[in-house]
Amino acid sequence: MHIASRTVIMALVFLLVFGAGGICLQIFLSRRESRWPGLVLPLLTVLYALLLVLNLRDTGSVSQNVLTVAVTLLVGNIPTLVLLAVYWAAREKRRVKSQIDIMKIDEL
């Protein structure tokens, strides 16, 4: 196995572990009673996407610049969308559970 392929494999493993750890952390934060901790990681990823846009170079034409900014924002916010989906799923489970608890109290 060549050194380059080992490097690629190590980078993919690191990315997979980092991504799985981020999702696990997002699940943990989203399940807190307060809703704000679950919004920290999506906020950080939005700020990172904005930082990506600020680092773009001028390519010449206005239409090409606008397209580059739009694509950068779209691709840069994919992690934000994943984290928000995890957040909404975890908060929905919490909301359903609280409604069931309220129904049980009302039955008494």
Side-chain angles (χ1 to χ4, degrees):
M1 190 179 279
H2 297 297
I3 292 176
S5 59
R6 285 185 186 156
T7 305
V8 169
I9 290 172
M10 290 299 292
L12 288 175
V13 168
F14 176 76
L15 186 62
L16 181 66
V17 169
F18 187 70
I23 289 175
C24 290
L25 179 61
Q26 179 64 21
I27 291 170
F28 174 76
L29 292 174
S30 296
R31 288 184 177 171
R32 302 295 98 205
E33 189 165 338
S34 174
R35 64 182 172 160
W36 297 112
L39 294 173
V40 170
L41 292 179
L43 177 66
L44 290 176
T45 56
V46 165
L47 292 175
Y48 178 73
L50 292 175
L51 185 65
L52 289 175
V53 169
L54 292 175
N55 286 324
L56 291 176
R57 302 279 184 242
D58 186 16
T59 57
S61 69
V62 174
S63 61
Q64 193 171 7
N65 287 339
V66 169
L67 183 63
T68 304
V69 167
V71 168
T72 303
L73 279 174
L74 182 68
V75 172
N77 279 312
I78 290 173
T80 304
L81 296 175
V82 170
L83 292 172
L84 283 175
V86 169
Y87 173 78
W88 287 323
R91 295 304 289 183
E92 179 65 20
K93 284 183 181 180
R94 184 170 186 78
R95 188 184 64 79
V96 168
K97 184 179 179 227
S98 69
Q99 286 181 346
I100 289 172
D101 290 342
I102 290 171
M103 286 174 39
K104 285 181 182 178
I105 290 172
D106 287 342
E107 288 177 2
L108 295 175

